[in-house]
């Protein structure tokens, strides 16, 4: 073998691992690793064995526009956020509200939805119509949820005496409301809109939301995906896709910023 051939072989051999690594990383970059619970109607849920929902469709349309696919991971919410923090996921598409604490840990995209912490009651409940009627009532909330925290803060701020009864799941809280075991139930406006649209439940909103939250995609600090995802959120908003998806899943345009909104 000539000296030139030996040198060419040596260079090729040294370059091969780097080339394979580059191919591997290029393949990985063709997907967005997203997490969802698959149990959060209408944001992320299973239907006929397929993962669907508002948040699911939004991130999948964004990925398609970016020439990527979505690689899904299903787990409970706390587990998903842990995987995001460990950079095992790129993002979580599961109605993630932007909070001050989360913003210190993650880089959020621009909001693609807005949810109000709202109380509902049975339509037949003539005694509970406004927030002024909360005294002496029992209001259900999901344990550890932002909405329940908002209600606890509102109660302390306004000095109104009523019971907050917490549940492990949304289903438990809703069942007790429908059975009349509690007077009201606090959750996101979108959740209630979707429930009314799906089941036709006789529910009414009790006053205005006590707080508003923006919903966005969280990414690990410094992620290069944030800027490109932001561009696509803006495009989906501009061409009406966000509105169409919101109305499909919620029966209302939860992607529109509420009037007078001053949140995150």
């Amino acid at each position: 073998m000539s000296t030139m051939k030996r040198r060419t072989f040596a260079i090729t051999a040294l370059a091969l691992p780097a080339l394979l690594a580059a191919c591997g990383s290029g393949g990985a970059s063709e997907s967005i690793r997203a997490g969802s619970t698959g149990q959060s109607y209408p944001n992320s849920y299973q239907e006929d064995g397929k993962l669907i929902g508002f948040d699911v469709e939004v991130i999948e349309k964004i990925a398609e526009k970016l020439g990527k696919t979505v690689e899904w991971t299903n787990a409970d919410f706390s587990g998903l956020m842990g995987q995001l923090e460990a950079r095992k996921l790129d993002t979580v598409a599961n109605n993630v509200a932007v909070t001050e604490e989360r913003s210190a840990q993650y880089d959020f995209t621009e909001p693609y939805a807005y949810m109000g912490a709202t109380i509902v009651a049975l339509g037949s409940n003539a005694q509970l119509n406004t927030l002024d009627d909360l005294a002496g009532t029992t209001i259900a909330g999901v344990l550890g949820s932002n909405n329940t925290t908002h209600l606890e803060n509102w109660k302390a701020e306004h000095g109104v005496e009523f019971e907050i009864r917490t549940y492990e799941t949304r289903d438990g809280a809703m069942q007790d409301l429908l059975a009349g075991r509690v007077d009201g139930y606090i959750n996101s406006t979108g959740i209630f809109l979707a429930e009314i649209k799906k089941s036709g439940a006789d529910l009414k909103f009790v006053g205005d939301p006590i707080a508003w939250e923006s919903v966005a995609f969280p990414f690990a600090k410094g992620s290069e995906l944030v800027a490109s995802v932001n561009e696509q959120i803006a495009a989906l908003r501009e061409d009406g896709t966000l509105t169409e998806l919101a109305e499909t899943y919620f029966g209302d345009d939860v992607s529109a910023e509420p009037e007078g909104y001053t949140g995150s």
Side-chain angles (χ1 to χ4, degrees):
M1 183 182 296
S2 69
T3 301
M4 180 62 70
K5 287 183 178 180
R6 282 198 301 270
R7 287 177 178 170
T8 302
F9 178 80
I11 293 171
T12 302
L14 289 171
L16 185 58
L19 179 62
L20 291 174
C23 291
S25 63
S29 68
E30 294 306 312
S31 66
I32 296 177
R33 301 169 302 165
S36 87
T37 64
Q39 298 179 337
S40 300
Y41 179 85
N43 304 89
S44 161
Y45 62 102
Q46 300 278 345
E47 189 172 277
D48 298 326
K50 182 181 179 182
L51 183 68
I52 61 173
F54 175 67
D55 300 62
V56 171
E57 283 210 48
V58 171
I59 195 64
E60 286 187 340
K61 286 186 179 298
I62 288 172
E64 182 181 359
K65 293 285 188 180
L66 295 174
K68 300 177 183 291
T69 58
V70 179
E71 181 184 333
W72 286 105
T73 294
N74 294 134
D76 62 64
F77 188 76
S78 60
L80 293 173
M81 298 307 285
Q83 290 189 58
L84 177 62
E85 189 171 356
R87 297 180 182 263
K88 294 180 180 179
L89 292 175
D90 293 312
T91 192
V92 174
N94 206 98
N95 197 34
V96 183
V98 180
T99 66
E100 185 176 346
E101 181 181 3
R102 288 173 181 164
S103 295
Q105 291 181 278
Y106 312 107
D107 284 342
F108 277 93
T109 62
E110 292 298 311
Y112 59 90
Y114 299 87
M115 297 290 170
T118 311
I119 296 171
V120 295
L122 294 178
S124 59
N125 187 337
Q127 284 71 48
L128 186 53
N129 297 293
T130 71
L131 296 176
D132 293 334
D133 301 326
L134 284 175
T137 64
T138 299
I139 307 300
V142 177
L143 181 65
S145 70
N146 289 344
N147 294 301
T148 300
T149 300
H150 287 312
L151 185 59
E152 291 168 346
N153 293 339
W154 187 93
K155 177 182 177 181
E157 180 181 346
H158 290 79
V160 181
E161 287 303 318
F162 59 90
E163 179 187 351
I164 301 174
R165 186 176 299 173
T166 56
Y167 296 76
E168 291 288 340
T169 66
R170 288 178 1 193
D171 287 344
M174 180 62 76
Q175 287 169 8
D176 269 14
L177 174 64
L178 296 176
R181 289 186 283 269
V182 295
D183 300 297
Y185 169 30
I186 190 164
N187 208 317
S188 298
T189 49
I191 300 300
F192 291 135
L193 288 169
E195 183 63 34
I196 293 169
K197 181 176 183 291
K198 177 183 179 183
S199 67
D202 182 23
L203 301 176
K204 65 181 179 181
F205 289 96
V206 178
D208 294 325
I210 62 173
W212 282 98
E213 292 180 329
S214 57
V215 176
F217 296 115
F219 286 83
K221 286 290 186 181
S223 172
E224 296 179 355
L225 282 169
V226 174
S228 55
V229 171
N230 273 339
E231 289 178 3
Q232 297 309 319
I233 290 174
L236 293 177
R237 189 178 297 283
E238 180 68 23
D239 68 14
T241 300
L242 275 183
T243 296
E244 181 181 349
L245 288 175
E247 291 179 344
T248 296
Y249 284 101
F250 298 99
D252 198 9
D253 187 9
V254 300
S255 73
E257 183 175 303
E259 185 177 351
Y261 176 75
T262 59
S264 303

